[in-house]
């Protein structure tokens, strides 16, 4: 009887100490707001295909973005092509700011070819989709996936 009680106690301790891994749900957002600058840059470096933007004045306008690409290279140069037209070719500034939405996050600041300044919040990922959001009222989020 003593051995049975001892075995039950050992089993209970053993199974209680096992870590259960919960698979990450690819439909849940993974926020990048609290990441370091190195993690942010590692996340955004590369070539991206922009599929659509979502948001705007009503908050629910979805605009397809055909032939739209975003490229960030190691020297912080960025190239943004929107609807087959080069929109920016600039050196980006990565900085942590208090966003217009009340939280702190890194932004990618750049200037368009026409001279207009832009600020995109490095906000979150859903699966393999990166979402960068305008840092101003009536913002739109740009939904993009990495391409080789």
């Amino acid at each position: 009887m003593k051995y049975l009680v001892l075995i039950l106690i050992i089993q209970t301790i053993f199974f209680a100490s096992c870590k259960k891994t919960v698979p990450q749900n690819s439909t849940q957002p993974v926020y990048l707001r609290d990441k370091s600058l190195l993690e942010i840059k590692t996340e955004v470096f590369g070539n991206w295909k922009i599929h659509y933007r979502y948001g705007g004045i009503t908050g629910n306008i979805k605009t397809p973005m055909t032939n739209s690409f975003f490229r960030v290279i190691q020297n912080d140069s960025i190239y943004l092509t929107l609807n087959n037209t080069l929109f920016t070719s600039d050196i980006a500034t990565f900085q942590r700011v208090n966003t217009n939405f009340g939280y702190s996050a890194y932004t990618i600041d750049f200037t368009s070819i026409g001279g207009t300044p832009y600020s995109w919040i490095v906000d979150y990922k859903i699966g393999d989709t990166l979402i960068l959001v305008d840092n101003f009222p009536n913002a739109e989020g740009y939904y993009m996936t990495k391409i080789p």
Side-chain angles (χ1 to χ4, degrees):
M1 184 69 170
K2 289 181 187 178
Y3 291 114
L4 182 60
V5 172
L6 184 59
I7 289 173
L8 288 173
I9 291 173
I10 291 173
Q11 280 183 331
T12 304
I13 292 171
F14 176 75
F15 287 116
S17 66
C18 290
K19 289 189 178 183
K20 296 178 178 117
T21 58
V22 177
Q24 185 177 351
N25 186 343
S26 63
T27 62
Q28 295 298 315
V30 175
Y31 290 98
L32 304 172
R33 301 169 182 174
D34 61 342
K35 303 297 183 194
S36 71
L37 180 58
L38 179 61
E39 290 172 303
I40 292 295
K41 286 186 173 186
T42 300
E43 194 66 55
V44 301
F45 282 149
N47 298 309
W48 298 87
K49 164 80 174 103
I50 303 173
H51 300 282
Y52 61 93
R53 62 184 182 207
Y54 189 81
I57 196 160
T58 64
N60 62 358
I61 300 169
K62 184 176 181 180
T63 307
M65 304 291 292
T66 56
N67 297 316
S68 297
F69 303 93
F70 184 59
R71 181 176 185 209
V72 182
I73 58 178
Q74 294 293 330
N75 67 358
D76 294 345
S77 291
I78 65 165
Y79 302 91
L80 177 60
T81 302
L82 298 177
N83 299 317
N84 228 17
T85 302
L86 184 63
F87 186 78
T88 192
S89 173
D90 196 13
I91 300 293
T93 302
F94 290 80
Q95 61 182 346
R96 180 169 287 285
V97 299
N98 288 323
T99 68
N100 285 333
F101 307 104
Y103 58 86
S104 174
Y106 273 98
T107 59
I108 303 173
D109 299 335
F110 59 93
T111 303
S112 72
I113 288 177
T116 304
Y118 286 86
S119 181
W120 282 2
I121 301 165
V122 182
D123 205 9
Y124 61 99
K125 285 185 79 172
I126 297 176
D128 64 349
T129 302
L130 174 67
I131 295 90
L132 303 178
V133 178
D134 295 321
N135 189 22
F136 55 81
N138 303 324
E140 293 181 298
Y142 294 81
Y143 290 70
M144 57 191 78
T145 55
K146 200 168 246 186
I147 55 177

